[in-house]
Structures are given as structure tokens and as C-alpha cells.
């Protein structure tokens, strides 16, 4: 007995690229008065300013409240953003994701050149902490 041929898979849509201007605005907002509490939160997690800037973290006032923006960078392009909703928050989850963006391994751009060792951690902020 022969099996019927599988239906062809639909092509994956191209990933949504977050415009550089949006990412730059969120970065600037983190370092300005709007992002003061978010920056204090990140520093309270022992993240260095160098690591925060290196991973291009930002700030955005979004939906349920203020958020730290965690951009997913691949080849220098922002292919996704996950948001850490700042406490206190009234949502069931403390994270939200930008709609239409790819799901990818966070910190891929940090794996440039020859890499002898890769450490996998639970969350995005843990990855930033590893470089602090």
C-alpha cells in the first residue's frame, strides 16, 4: 500500500525586520528620563552599562506598562523584540513578544568569529549578565 503524497509546505514568510529607527529610539529612551526606572532595574540585576549597550537593550512604554526591550539581532538586523514588562504589572506573564517576528536564539550576534565555548542560559537577561 502506498501512502498519499504529502501536501507541499507553505513557504515561510520573510521575517519581520524591526526598523533601525525604532530600535535606536528605544535605546535612547532607556538612557533618558523615560527609562530611568528600567535602567535602575537592569543595573540592579548587575548588568553593566557596557553589556546593556552591547546588546542594544531599550525602553518602551507598551500595552500593560513600561518594558525593557530585548532585541534579537541577526547579522546586525533586529529580527525580533521581546519585552520584559516592568513590575508591578497586572498581566499573567511578565514577558511579551513583538508580533510577526521570528523566534530565534537570543544573542546570536555575540557568536562572531571563532567560538570555543557556548553557554546556554535560561533567559535573555541571563545572557546579557554573562557578558557583564
Amino acid at each position: 500500500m502506498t501512502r498519499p503524497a504529502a501536501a507541499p509546505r507553505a513557504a515561510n514568510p520573510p521575517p519581520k525586520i524591526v526598523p533601525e529607527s525604532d530600535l535606536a529610539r528605544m535605546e535612547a529612551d532607556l538612557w533618558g528620563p523615560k527609562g530611568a526606572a528600567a535602567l535602575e532595574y537592569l543595573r540592579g540585576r548587575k548588568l553593566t552599562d557596557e553589556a546593556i549597550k552591547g546588546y542594544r537593550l531599550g525602553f518602551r512604554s507598551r500595552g500593560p506598562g513600561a518594558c525593557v526591550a530585548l532585541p534579537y539581532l541577526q547579522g546586525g538586523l533586529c529580527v525580533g523584540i521581546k519585552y520584559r514588562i516592568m513590575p508591578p504589572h497586572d498581566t499573567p506573564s511578565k514577558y511579551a513578544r513583538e508580533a510577526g517576528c521570528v523566534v530565534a536564539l537570543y544573542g546570536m550576534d555575540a557568536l562572531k568569529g571563532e567560538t570555543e565555548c557556548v553557554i546556554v542560559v535560561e533567559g535573555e537577561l541571563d545572557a546579557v549578565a554573562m557578558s557583564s
Side-chain angles (χ1 to χ4, degrees), residues 53-113:
K53 289 176 182 177
Y55 278 85
R56 301 194 65 189
L57 304 188
F59 173 81
R60 182 171 178 193
S61 209
R62 177 181 196 276
C67 303
V68 171
L70 304 157
Y72 281 67
L73 304 172
Q74 290 184 355
L77 297 174
C78 183
V79 297
I81 299 180
K82 192 171 183 182
Y83 298 99
R84 170 50 165 101
I85 303 165
M86 300 299 301
H89 54 83
D90 297 335
T91 60
S93 175
K94 57 185 174 182
Y95 288 94
R97 185 177 295 281
E98 187 77 28
C101 292
V102 299
V103 176
L105 183 63
Y106 186 77
M108 287 297 294
D109 270 12
L111 299 176
K112 296 176 184 167

Side-chain angles (χ1 to χ4, degrees), residues 35-47 52 68 84-87 94-95 125:
L39 189 56
E40 182 180 330
Y41 166 79
L42 294 170
R43 288 173 174 159
R45 291 197 56 158
K46 307 298 185 218
L47 304 183
I52 293 167
V68 171
R84 170 50 165 101
I85 303 165
M86 300 299 301
K94 57 185 174 182
Y95 288 94
L125 291 175

